[in-house]
Amino acid sequence: MLEIKNLQAGVEGKAILKGIDLSINAGEVHAIMGPNGSGKSTLAQVLAGREGYEITDGSVRYNGEDLLDLGPEERVREGFFLAFQYPVEIPGVNTTYFLRAAVNALREHRGEAELSAVEFLKLMREKIQLLELDESLLKRSVNEGFSGGEKKRAEILQMALLDPKFAVLDETDSGLDIDALKVVAGGVNHLKRADNAQLVITHYQRLLDYIVPDHVHVLVDGRIVKSGPKELALELEERGYDWIIEEQSA
Amino acid sequence: MVAPAHMNAEDAVDRLLAALPGSDAAGRARFAELGFPTPRDEDWRFTPVKPITELNFSAAPVDADATLEGCVFAAIDGPQLVFVNGHYSEALSQVGEVPAGVEVRPMSAGDCPAPPAPEDAFGALNAATVTDGPFISVADNVHFESPVRVYYLSTGRNGATANVRGYIRAGANSQVTVLESWTGKQAGYFNNATTELHAADNAQVEHVKFQDEHTGAFHVGGLHTALGRDARVAHHSLALGGRIARNNLRAHLNGTGIEAVLNGLYLPRAGQLIDHHMVVHHAQPHCDSHEYFNGILDDDSRAVFHGRIHVHKGADKTDAKQTNKNLLLSDSATIDTKPQLEIYADDVKCTHGATIGQMNAEQIFYLRARGLDEESARRMIMHAFAGEIVERIQCEAAREELDRLVWDRLEQMGGHVAA
């Protein structure tokens, strides 16, 4: 589904990703872990099409297409989704209005009829229950005044509404208490199917107790330095990253 | 269209007095004595009045052919007063039946308290040469549910000058909503207006000023509010029109427990300058005032925001919050913003802030990452910027109509996304 080859990217001449190779198939959940500054969020942003990053080498194939060639919105319409680490507040944009516009942009792309306000509300009511979100949030401006937990749950609500084939979750667990974490993980697991895939970026092993990955990758200084089964995450939790870094430089 | 020849700005005062009839010799002398402000005058530093003083002044005429076609608030029920070129139009006005204690009429049809002392030449000119204006009074304890609509239509051009004065009084424990609309058909006319708003103890007043003058016209408007104890007053200024449009907003919080909201949106485009000049006086303790002004500027337009909050000695527990946010859609648009706090009390909470920016790239990216194309994302954010202000209008029918109207106007504006 996703094939990253020797991806190198940076910002203002500074290299951040120094050759990433990663292959993800339908039905799989991959986790990327790594210390601060290793390039985890840059990878997420580059995959989502954030401007300002220079791609200096490598390629990303997504279902056979050149992902890097597509604008951010085109990626979404092809089934790509990024749950942001820091969802931006947009004062004045009503959440329901925004979500309906997003869902309808996707439907239009697929040649489906727009959802009316009533139809959309029905769909949304169904999804917010999954995330245990208060319906009053939907009347507010996008992410404005949301708590940290509400922002993260709202990201997964958007994921549920857009029903992506491939989702990247960028530190969706950061700043969540254990109850919120369970709800978020429950939502993500609910959306898991044999024909879609997820890439979970996290700083903490804790999330992986709830979203169980098939593969764990360790990102250090812009490179994946180790990959392994889910047990690797536990080892990282116990021993930290230093031993891997030492193993690399040895 | 051929541009009119400029008149000599030097003798503008004399030419105005010659053009406008009036028997108030003292008032006319006062205007002559004050003279027009210059850029050296701090309160007018960013707003040159020269284009006004160069007009070939004439008294804006009575015009029986004017219509309300295309005006806002048409679907709203309630009394309406219509002034054409500053003259009351009985044909277009509809007062109908109003509850006991409610008075809605042209000022010319009865008495009205004298205006406050003018603070500048425009105020003095208005006081000395006023033709007419709305008189709206709601007695103590009367809740008048129907909004009162006031239409100011201008059909003149090239220096046609109208001086109007509005008077709104809300008695103790009363409630009233006033919706004003300013529109005109041709370039070059000049409206010089003052509105007084008196809200007695515990009165609740909402005042909406929708200023959509011709973009080649001139508009100077003063709003003077005097608020009593526990009054809750909201003024909304939607400033879209005018080649030069100046709003002088003066709020006097004279009792305790007042909640005052001054809320404004300006959307200047090519060749326009829109100026809000605001002074809020907190004279008593335990009052809240909130000033929110957002502007979206396109082309080579200019906007000015001056907001002074003056917390007088003894006005403890004042909670004053002032924000001015500007979105520049063009590299050649200019905003001069000057928030000011003057605090002479000890125990107060006052904040102010101004932002000037281009389209927020983070927000655009977030929306694109949800499948919206760049153009839709940009529109959504522009709409949001305006919507933040429009959504504070409590009168639902007015809010919904103005929201649509502002949305349409934004559709015509350009805009570039900053990286």
Side-chain angles (χ1 to χ4, degrees):
Chain A
M1 176 171 278
L2 190 81
E3 188 80 38
I4 304 177
K5 277 192 181 149
N6 188 32
L7 181 63
Q8 299 189 29
V11 72
E12 286 165 6
K14 185 177 175 284
I16 301 172
L17 302 181
K18 299 173 180 172
I20 304 255
D21 290 289
L22 185 61
S23 181
I24 298 174
N25 299 313
E28 292 179 350
V29 176
H30 288 237
I32 289 192
M33 301 185 71
N36 285 331
S38 57
K40 300 191 298 290
S41 280
T42 298
L43 177 61
Q45 298 278 313
V46 166
L47 290 178
R50 181 80 166 98
E51 282 165 24
Y53 291 97
E54 300 142 29
I55 316 287
T56 46
D57 205 355
S59 66
V60 182
R61 310 291 299 178
Y62 171 69
N63 290 330
E65 264 189 286
D66 182 357
L67 184 77
L68 302 177
D69 212 29
L70 302 175
E73 63 272 31
E74 293 170 308
R75 299 179 196 200
V76 177
R77 292 169 190 174
E78 294 302 327
F80 175 89
F81 182 87
L82 169 66
F84 281 69
Q85 182 182 6
Y86 302 112
V88 62
E89 298 190 1
I90 313 182
V93 174
N94 174 274
T95 300
T96 303
Y97 171 75
F98 154 63
L99 293 176
R100 189 172 151 224
V103 167
N104 279 334
L106 196 61
R107 291 180 67 90
E108 192 192 334
H109 177 72
R110 291 178 185 154
E112 296 165 1
E114 279 199 0
L115 290 183
S116 69
V118 175
E119 289 167 324
F120 178 71
L121 211 62
K122 191 165 164 272
L123 174 69
M124 193 151 70
R125 289 226 165 94
E126 196 183 293
K127 303 296 182 191
I128 57 172
Q129 281 172 9
L130 177 67
L131 278 310
E132 297 177 22
L133 269 167
D134 189 343
E135 210 172 309
S136 69
L137 283 187
L138 305 173
K139 291 182 181 148
R140 299 190 1 216
S141 293
V142 175
N143 293 320
E144 192 187 32
F146 287 24
S147 70
E150 285 169 342
K151 279 184 184 168
K152 296 300 176 78
R153 275 186 279 167
E155 289 294 290
I156 305 306
L157 169 67
Q158 295 179 24
M159 179 173 158
L161 285 168
L162 296 177
D163 191 20
K165 285 186 231 158
F166 181 75
V168 177
L169 287 84
D170 187 8
E171 301 212 17
T172 299
D173 54 324
S174 298
L176 293 187
D177 63 37
I178 194 73
D179 292 330
L181 181 69
K182 282 180 187 170
V183 172
V184 164
V188 172
N189 290 332
H190 183 85
L191 298 170
K192 180 84 201 58
R193 290 193 312 259
D195 65 344
N196 66 17
Q198 294 164 354
L199 176 62
V200 180
I201 294 174
T202 182
H203 192 70
Y204 307 103
Q205 185 274 334
R206 186 184 64 159
L207 175 69
L208 305 181
D209 289 342
Y210 301 97
I211 300 176
V212 181
D214 300 299
H215 301 277
V216 175
H217 311 278
V218 183
L219 189 67
V220 176
D221 191 27
R223 286 186 187 89
I224 290 176
V225 296
K226 199 171 183 71
S227 297
K230 63 176 187 285
E231 289 75 18
L232 177 58
L234 289 169
E235 200 173 353
L236 290 168
E237 179 76 355
E238 219 165 274
R239 299 175 60 189
Y241 293 106
D242 289 351
W243 63 279
I244 294 182
I245 297 169
E246 277 161 28
E247 208 174 84
Q248 286 303 301
S249 50
Chain B
M1 194 176 77
V2 180
H6 284 169
M7 303 295 284
N8 188 354
E10 301 298 316
D11 60 4
V13 167
D14 295 338
R15 287 188 293 106
L16 255 173
L17 288 174
L20 304 176
S23 56
D24 177 5
R28 295 165 76 86
R30 174 89 181 122
F31 165 60
E33 182 194 325
L34 283 167
F36 282 104
T38 70
R40 284 190 299 279
D41 187 329
E42 182 60 27
D43 286 342
W44 291 86
R45 213 170 108 201
F46 304 110
T47 303
V49 302
K50 196 155 174 267
I52 298 176
T53 58
E54 287 174 346
L55 291 170
N56 184 12
F57 300 110
S58 62
V62 172
D63 181 352
D65 296 331
T67 71
L68 285 169
E69 201 187 325
C71 283
V72 289
F73 311 141
I76 296 175
D77 286 331
Q80 67 180 36
L81 296 174
V82 183
F83 298 88
V84 179
N85 300 336
H87 304 281
Y88 181 61
S89 167
E90 195 161 357
L92 296 176
S93 299
Q94 287 174 8
V95 175
E97 281 200 23
V98 294
V102 174
E103 201 179 345
V104 176
R105 61 166 169 85
M107 193 158 299
S108 54
D111 292 332
C112 184
E119 64 173 55
D120 61 20
F122 292 102
L125 174 68
N126 181 276
T129 66
V130 61
T131 49
D132 210 339
F135 180 95
I136 299 161
S137 174
V138 178
D140 294 355
N141 304 312
V142 174
H143 279 232
F144 189 31
E145 300 293 342
S146 308
V148 179
R149 290 163 299 152
V150 182
Y151 293 93
Y152 298 92
L153 308 177
S154 293
T155 63
R157 51 187 286 200
N158 298 349
T161 301
N163 282 275
V164 290
R165 174 182 173 220
Y167 184 89
I168 302 163
R169 182 189 172 276
N173 311 307
S174 72
Q175 191 242 309
V176 66
T177 298
V178 177
L179 309 174
E180 279 182 21
S181 157
W182 296 81
T183 54
K185 297 265 182 253
Q186 305 183 82
Y189 64 84
F190 170 37
N191 279 332
N192 184 34
T194 62
T195 299
E196 286 156 61
L197 169 54
H198 299 265
D201 292 358
N202 205 35
Q204 188 173 345
V205 182
E206 179 162 51
H207 180 248
V208 178
K209 177 178 177 180
F210 173 67
Q211 186 275 97
D212 194 23
E213 304 273 28
H214 190 281
T215 53
F218 300 90
H219 179 104
V220 177
L223 175 72
H224 301 267
T225 65
L227 312 182
R229 180 185 167 155
D230 298 319
R232 296 173 304 287
V233 172
H235 166 72
H236 312 279
S237 168
L238 277 81
L240 277 60
R243 181 174 156 206
I244 294 178
R246 161 86 166 206
N247 284 290
N248 291 313
L249 306 173
R250 305 288 178 262
H252 293 268
L253 281 57
N254 297 328
T256 57
I258 295 167
E259 280 178 41
V261 173
L262 298 172
N263 183 46
L265 174 69
Y266 42 94
L267 307 173
R269 289 186 283 167
Q272 289 184 271
L273 187 164
I274 299 179
D275 177 358
H276 283 89
H277 189 282
M278 183 183 74
V279 185
V280 177
H281 289 279
H282 278 263
Q284 294 286 332
H286 293 286
C287 290
D288 294 356
S289 80
H290 295 295
E291 295 83 28
Y292 310 98
F293 285 81
N294 285 9
I296 303 177
L297 290 73
D298 203 359
D299 309 316
D300 62 348
S301 69
R302 300 187 57 180
V304 182
F305 175 79
H306 173 281
R308 186 158 88 236
I309 297 172
H310 187 123
V311 182
H312 293 254
K313 194 159 189 287
D316 292 323
K317 306 288 180 191
T318 286
D319 185 348
K321 189 162 101 185
Q322 177 178 249
T323 61
N324 174 227
K325 297 199 269 185
N326 296 283
L327 188 57
L328 305 185
L329 301 181
S330 146
D331 291 339
S332 45
T334 311
I335 168 76
D336 291 289
T337 177
K338 194 175 157 192
Q340 273 183 304
L341 294 175
E342 253 181 81
I343 303 173
Y344 301 99
D346 297 327
D347 181 10
V348 302
K349 200 163 89 187
C350 292
T351 60
H352 67 169
T355 61
I356 301 166
Q358 289 171 310
M359 205 69 87
N360 184 315
E362 293 278 337
Q363 294 178 342
I364 301 270
F365 176 61
Y366 187 78
L367 296 177
R368 291 181 74 191
R370 294 297 175 258
L372 299 170
D373 62 61
E374 189 168 343
E375 181 66 12
S376 306
R378 205 163 55 75
R379 297 277 169 215
M380 200 178 266
I381 287 165
M382 261 165 56
H383 191 202
F385 205 81
E388 224 182 11
I389 299 299
V390 176
E391 72 188 15
R392 287 200 188 90
I393 298 172
Q394 291 149 42
C395 175
E396 191 179 345
R399 180 180 67 239
E400 287 176 357
E401 184 171 7
L402 293 174
D403 190 52
R404 280 194 300 275
L405 199 146
V406 163
W407 178 239
D408 287 345
R409 207 59 65 92
L410 291 174
E411 287 292 306
Q412 298 160 22
M413 293 178 93
H416 317 277
V417 179

